[in-house]
Amino acid sequence: MLLVLTACNSAMPGKSGAGELGKAGEFGKAAPLANSTVILATTTSTMDSGLLDVLIPVFEQATGYQVKPIAAGTGQALALGEKGEADVLLVHAPEAEKKLIENGTAIRRQLLMHNDFIIVGPPADPAGLRGMTDAVAGLKKLAASGQLFVSRGDDSGTHKMELALWKKAAVKPAGAAYQETGAGMGQTLNVANEKLGYTLTDRATYLAQKKNLGLIVLLEKDPALLNIYHVMEVNGEKFPKVNSAGGKAFADFLVSERGQELIRSYGIDKFGEPLFFVDVSKQETELLKGPAQPESANQQK
């Protein structure tokens, strides 16, 4: 079945997720597995950042499950959950996620981690966004400049955030200065790079792709750019074919001490800063008051 990871809205993890990874049977290894395949529906940022390449092998080795990740826009990932075609969801579109909880599609929505969104663009910065910390003001200035903005246009969590910001800015982007890729974050960054345009990206994917890009961070540290991830399981009572045990095992692993440590440390050795901050013991309201944010390499002159 599908495993989908989701972001936002906090539910406290159960005791099964609190212990150290590796105890016999903690994540389902002790008993024979009726269904060893876990389908994960997730946002592209968890794949493009390289985080899943770290998490999945450890989980598989500890449990005997085999994870099949489907990395798409959050909208597509949630749609897979609504059709019962995923076992677990890892996404970052809070309001959309809540609808699945309300209609019984998903259960146990747990706050997992966060990072932030940033606006990147060409070093010459013809729109003059460098050093700004107000995303809405930045988009207004960008629109007035007539410079190119490259949008994912894929109903992903990042796209939903972008549209919300344009709405707050009272700007309806259109025309030659607004191009949609209909693709994931990595590909969208590449298009913006090739066309010397601006784009909204999660920080983790940008850092993971940075060595291949000429784009630099121009606008950051706006509290409105908080990017929260939740994990939730697809409801096996509503969708009998869902691998409920496998989805639960993966969710429990993510919120376990071992899972949290892998997330917490990811990126430090390669980028000098974590790509994600773990939030399992927190409430979402705490993050909205002022989450920890990484220092960026915005000082690329």
Side-chain angles (χ1 to χ4, degrees):
M1 312 299 290
L2 280 171
L3 165 61
V4 180
L5 291 92
T6 171
C8 219
N9 195 25
S10 59
M12 295 303 291
K15 294 181 180 179
S16 61
E20 291 289 348
L21 179 64
K23 294 180 181 178
E26 184 176 0
F27 301 103
K29 191 173 183 179
L33 302 177
N35 183 352
S36 63
T37 299
V38 178
I39 300 175
L40 164 64
T42 183
T43 174
T44 61
S45 60
T46 59
M47 178 73 78
D48 290 345
S49 67
L51 180 63
L52 292 184
D53 293 334
V54 171
L55 294 173
I56 289 176
V58 176
F59 171 72
E60 291 180 338
Q61 183 175 10
T63 64
Y65 283 108
Q66 295 295 310
V67 177
K68 290 188 176 181
I70 298 177
T74 289
Q76 296 178 53
L78 293 176
L80 288 171
E82 288 187 305
K83 292 185 288 187
E85 295 179 357
D87 303 316
V88 62
L89 311 175
L90 177 53
V91 292
H92 61 144
E95 295 307 313
E97 296 164 21
K98 292 175 184 177
K99 293 179 181 178
L100 270 67
I101 295 294
E102 293 168 357
N103 66 24
T105 292
I107 58 175
R108 290 213 317 157
R109 182 170 178 256
Q110 301 182 73
L111 179 61
L112 179 64
M113 61 189 186
H114 77 270
N115 59 15
D116 63 337
F117 291 107
I118 54 180
I119 293 179
V120 299
D125 187 24
L129 303 192
R130 189 190 302 271
M132 294 186 69
T133 58
D134 185 326
V136 171
L139 288 182
K140 286 182 178 180
K141 190 173 184 179
L142 177 61
S145 75
Q147 295 298 314
L148 175 65
F149 184 90
V150 180
S151 169
R152 285 181 57 167
D154 64 348
D155 196 34
S156 61
T158 304
H159 185 219
K160 291 176 186 292
M161 170 62 77
E162 177 216 320
L163 294 179
L165 292 171
W166 284 120
K167 184 176 182 179
K168 290 179 181 178
V171 173
K172 294 184 178 180
Y178 185 75
Q179 297 182 19
E180 296 182 326
T181 66
M185 197 67 253
Q187 188 172 339
T188 299
L189 281 166
N190 286 331
V191 172
N193 187 62
E194 292 170 4
K195 294 179 177 290
L196 299 179
Y198 294 75
T199 193
L200 177 75
T201 176
D202 65 284
R203 189 183 296 269
T205 303
Y206 169 73
L207 289 175
Q209 305 286 332
K210 178 183 169 184
K211 65 181 180 180
N212 299 317
L213 302 170
L215 304 173
I216 66 170
V217 179
L218 295 169
L219 189 154
E220 62 179 335
K221 298 182 181 178
D222 181 342
L225 296 179
L226 178 65
N227 184 25
I228 304 176
Y229 293 77
H230 288 82
V231 58
M232 58 187 182
E233 301 151 38
V234 177
N235 190 351
E237 292 187 1
K238 186 172 183 177
F239 303 102
K241 293 184 179 181
V242 163
N243 185 355
S244 298
K248 181 178 185 300
F250 189 75
D252 285 347
F253 164 67
L254 291 179
V255 301
S256 71
E257 293 177 14
R258 179 59 172 146
Q260 292 173 67
E261 180 54 35
L262 289 170
I263 294 170
R264 182 183 295 112
S265 61
Y266 181 65
I268 294 178
D269 58 342
K270 189 172 183 179
F271 307 108
E273 62 185 77
L275 270 59
F276 300 92
F277 294 87
V278 295
D279 295 317
V280 171
S281 62
K282 303 174 184 177
Q283 296 292 327
E284 189 175 329
T285 51
E286 296 178 48
L287 300 182
L288 297 175
K289 291 178 181 178
Q293 292 184 351
E295 293 297 323
S296 96
N298 183 23
Q299 294 55 9
Q300 309 150 38
K301 309 290 185 185

